[in-house]
Amino acid sequence: MKTVKGPTDHVVVVGAGLSGLSAALHLLGAGRRVTVVEREALPGGRAGRFEMGGYHVDSGPTVLTMPDIADEAFAAVGDRLADRVELVELHPAYRARFADGSQLDVHTGAAAMEEEVRRFAGDREAAGYRRLRGWLTDLYAAQMRRFIDANFDSPLQLLHPDLVRLARLGAFSRLDPQIGRFLSDERLRRVFSFQALYAGVAPERALAAYAVIAYMDTVAGVYFPRGGMHALPRAMADSAAGAGAEFRWNTEVGRLERRGGRITAVHTADGDRIACDAVVLTPDLPVVHRLLGRSPRRPVALRYSPSAVVLHAGTDRTWPHLAHHTISFGAAWKSTFRELTQQGALMSDPSLLITRPTTHDPSLAPEGKHLHYILAPCPNTDIGPGTREWHDLAPRYRDSLLTVLEKRGLDGIGAAIEQECLVTPADWTAQGHAAGTPFSAAHTFAQTGPFRPRNLVRGIENAVVAGCGTTPGVGVPTVLISGKLAAGRITGGDRAGTPRVRRGRGDAPLVPASGGDAS
């Protein structure tokens, strides 16, 4: 594995999002001194938090899977996720509601889900689900350590026995037909393939390898942190600070000082100079490229994932048929993906994710009130409405979403809203996200694994990139892994000076165990 050359004693991490916090914890665990520079007043990045008339709103992801990956970051400094965050495993993980009026609770326990599929679609589909679950588990096992949690220096690293194993599992065929080998009920097939949209690709065009996301959602378990998703980055920042990291909040990075092939300092917009031995850059790719002063050459320009419109609604009532996470499927399916990824049109019959975090934490809203997060996928600004168009389109689209929700059983939702915030691609653009999407580069074959923008910067010896735009990609678990992989590029994957011994919450900053750091 290629690593950063020269000294790496002091590392500056630009950005306190999940990837930056993960990198910081892993670097601290390997004995490095870490300074984190964050433009906002709080940690989280995309997983931020804002207040809305007494409602405490998560600004980004609402679904947490694979918490063991987060725990690995805490463990790097001798801490534990369980000591910092109270996690609730969701039962059901999701509730799926379909245009024909049917409803399916998605359980991550094998027996419970088999029984639910049997109730929903009969014995044949229940048996198919059992086989599908086995296939998803095998697919995950073949991919995780070799192809997801791995730094690539060359496509030749793909040549491994696990690649043959993946091929035998059908990972390089199309996702939708592979799911169809196990399930014939079209509604069930949606439940195990809609996750391809997270990767920015329609299920009928996505590689079956991306069924690994369905494994995370439907087998490994879905969790909710008390206090909302923002509780995770807040806890990671607290843990990093306890292990000795310095945080500079409300601080924008203006430029990088460079001498020859090395970054020697980070300059803030307010004039401070922070000398460093290495940097981890976690902003969106266009911002990273601006700081570096150049973009890497690619044979074909990056293609970006679809975006999303999110309506955060604080209401004076809720609807009993909603679970913590409810997927409301429209009647249309394949045509909506063509609208999103090819035609650049808003979904004519949208499928929506509705999250009600107050289901498991009423303290996120004023007493007796409820918080709803409604996500509607939409085209990114490269192929769909542009930033200026969204300024005019936003209120009309908001009203059309409420009309759809009314028809799907959320009667009176418009009148029930007391506080609201609508986020559109124009807002994502203002936050610095390319193509107006928070989901970064799509996971096409040419933008996956060793073909995705790399986390080592060509021509600069001591700069590493982390976040959803680089390896391994989009999603909370993968972004956490990207931070670990970035730290590994600096430390060589070593664990010198770790684990640190945590003697108690609130004690003095930790010191490395005996032996020091062999950098």
Side-chain angles (χ1 to χ4, degrees):
M1 179 182 74
K2 293 180 181 178
T3 58
V4 163
K5 299 177 181 178
T8 61
D9 297 328
H10 179 213
V11 183
V12 173
V13 177
V14 179
L18 292 173
S19 64
L21 294 168
S22 174
L25 287 165
H26 284 285
L27 288 165
L28 289 162
R32 272 53 175 188
R33 183 163 68 92
V34 175
T35 301
V36 182
V37 183
E38 169 56 48
R39 67 180 180 180
E40 302 295 339
L42 72 172
R46 285 170 171 82
R49 165 65 60 85
F50 67 91
E51 304 299 314
M52 185 178 70
Y55 295 87
H56 308 284
V57 184
D58 285 321
S59 63
T62 62
V63 179
L64 177 62
T65 61
M66 310 297 293
D68 56 300
I69 294 172
D71 192 45
E72 190 177 358
F74 285 97
V77 294
D79 206 346
R80 295 198 320 150
L81 173 64
D83 291 338
R84 295 278 184 175
V85 181
E86 181 186 354
L87 293 183
V88 179
E89 186 169 7
L90 300 183
H91 301 289
Y94 295 94
R95 176 165 292 155
R97 292 173 59 85
F98 300 92
D100 63 3
S102 58
Q103 177 175 296
L104 173 80
D105 280 353
V106 180
H107 299 284
T108 52
M113 187 58 183
E114 182 178 2
E115 188 56 38
E116 176 69 354
V117 171
R118 180 175 288 108
R119 177 201 65 79
F120 182 79
D123 291 341
R124 181 177 176 180
E125 297 297 277
Y129 160 73
R130 273 288 192 179
R131 295 195 305 275
L132 172 61
R133 186 183 178 95
W135 179 72
L136 292 173
T137 302
D138 290 344
L139 199 66
Y140 173 80
Q143 285 189 76
M144 186 58 182
R145 291 301 171 191
R146 180 61 54 182
F147 302 109
I148 297 176
D149 190 3
N151 272 313
F152 285 97
D153 294 324
S154 165
L156 295 177
Q157 287 178 245
L158 293 172
L159 302 178
H160 184 273
D162 280 343
L163 186 69
V164 177
R165 185 180 174 193
L166 281 174
R168 288 174 177 168
L169 288 167
F172 303 113
S173 58
R174 297 301 176 189
L175 175 62
D176 192 53
Q178 283 293 327
I179 299 296
R181 291 193 303 118
F182 304 99
L183 302 170
S184 59
D185 189 296
E186 193 263 348
R187 298 166 300 173
L188 289 174
R189 290 168 68 169
R190 291 189 187 189
V191 168
F192 292 94
S193 64
F194 81 89
Q195 295 87 353
L197 192 58
Y198 297 161
V201 188
E204 61 185 359
R205 302 179 65 190
L207 291 177
Y210 288 117
V212 70
I213 309 174
Y215 168 86
M216 295 177 182
D217 270 8
T218 67
V219 177
V222 174
Y223 297 81
F224 172 71
R226 295 260 194 228
M229 283 291 290
H230 183 66
L232 176 59
R234 188 169 63 245
M236 293 177 74
D238 288 345
S239 183
E246 177 189 358
F247 283 87
R248 298 200 180 187
W249 305 107
N250 295 306
T251 303
E252 185 92 25
V253 172
R255 67 183 182 90
L256 304 176
E257 180 182 318
R258 186 171 166 183
R259 185 177 303 159
R262 294 185 70 81
I263 304 297
T264 54
V266 171
H267 288 257
T268 69
D270 53 12
D272 283 349
R273 178 184 184 272
I274 309 171
C276 63
D277 298 308
V279 292
V280 177
L281 303 170
T282 73
D284 217 26
L285 289 177
V287 178
V288 169
H289 297 157
R290 176 178 59 77
L291 290 173
L292 292 171
R294 58 194 172 94
S295 301
R297 294 180 180 177
R298 291 183 64 89
V300 179
L302 282 176
R303 177 178 156 194
Y304 286 90
S305 296
S307 185
V309 172
V310 179
L311 176 61
H312 301 280
T315 63
D316 62 9
R317 58 167 294 194
T318 190
W319 294 266
H321 65 265
L322 294 178
H324 189 110
H325 296 298
T326 301
I327 306 169
S328 174
F329 288 106
W333 186 239
K334 292 183 179 180
S335 63
T336 61
F337 286 101
R338 287 194 293 271
E339 290 167 342
L340 289 172
T341 63
Q342 298 175 42
Q343 300 167 7
L346 297 173
M347 290 183 293
S348 54
D349 186 14
S351 291
L352 308 172
L353 171 64
I354 305 165
T355 296
R356 185 179 59 188
T358 44
T359 301
H360 288 94
D361 192 347
S363 71
L364 296 173
E367 187 174 358
K369 311 296 183 179
H370 305 272
L371 184 58
H372 300 85
Y373 165 110
I374 299 139
L375 183 147
C378 71
N380 65 46
T381 56
D382 278 352
I383 66 169
T387 300
R388 291 184 179 180
E389 292 171 271
W390 270 109
H391 288 304
D392 295 328
L393 177 60
R396 298 198 305 273
Y397 192 61
R398 175 259 189 201
D399 291 345
S400 70
L401 282 178
L402 294 182
T403 299
V404 169
L405 291 168
E406 289 266 6
K407 292 178 179 177
R408 297 185 185 176
L410 274 68
D411 54 290
I413 184 171
I417 294 176
E418 296 186 335
Q419 298 284 337
E420 66 178 281
C421 176
L422 186 74
V423 183
T424 75
D427 299 295
W428 302 124
T429 298
Q431 293 176 30
H433 301 318
T437 174
F439 305 115
S440 195
H443 285 260
T444 59
F445 180 78
Q447 297 178 176
T448 296
F451 309 113
R452 198 164 180 81
R454 296 192 182 180
N455 58 7
L456 278 181
V457 178
R458 190 185 302 273
I460 301 180
E461 296 177 355
N462 63 339
V464 187
V465 180
C468 59
T470 185
T471 53
V474 179
V476 172
T478 40
V479 163
L480 291 169
I481 290 171
S482 83
K484 182 180 80 165
L485 296 179
R489 290 291 195 184
I490 292 171
T491 67
D494 68 79
R495 286 289 186 268
T498 61
R500 299 185 177 203
V501 179
R502 181 166 295 278
R503 303 192 182 282
R505 299 279 293 279
D507 289 348
L510 303 175
V511 296
S514 59
D517 172 37
S519 60

